[in-house]
Amino acid sequence: MDKLQVQLTAILNLLNIKIFRILLFLLIGVVMYSAMYNNVKPEKLNLKLFSVAEKTIRSPITIEDKESTEADRRKAVEQVKDVYRVKSEYAQNS
């Protein structure tokens, strides 16, 4: 138990040194960057003009076609019929 306590005290003393703290955070940053690099690395495609692509190429962003969206919305509104219902409670209250 004394050995563990001595080692923990030594580690805490090292953390109090400013340069060691900076080096520790730089090391952690480099390790995390290298571990996550494959997730953010852009994919290179081998394309030739007027040739068929080997796999489907998808855009990383979505662009909305506002005109056709508005036309579809108007068409959907026109297809819904108006529904009116006379409530008998209104006639009784009068």
Side-chain angles (χ1 to χ4, degrees), residues 31-74:
V31 168
M32 296 208 38
Y33 180 81
S34 62
M36 293 185 278
Y37 179 71
N38 283 338
N39 295 334
V40 296
K41 178 179 63 170
E43 183 179 349
K44 293 185 180 179
L45 301 173
N46 186 14
L47 301 176
K48 292 192 168 113
L49 194 59
F50 302 117
S51 66
V52 178
E54 296 171 6
K55 62 179 187 175
T56 304
I57 302 170
R58 302 201 187 275
S59 172
I61 59 172
T62 303
I63 299 173
E64 179 184 358
D65 185 6
K66 294 181 181 181
E67 293 174 1
S68 66
T69 302
E70 189 58 38
D72 290 344
R73 187 174 290 139
R74 273 188 259 123

Side-chain angles (χ1 to χ4, degrees), residues 81-92:
K81 296 179 181 176
D82 294 334
V83 177
Y84 297 101
R85 195 178 286 168
V86 178
K87 292 192 174 186
S88 60
E89 294 100 28
Y90 294 149
Q92 291 174 356

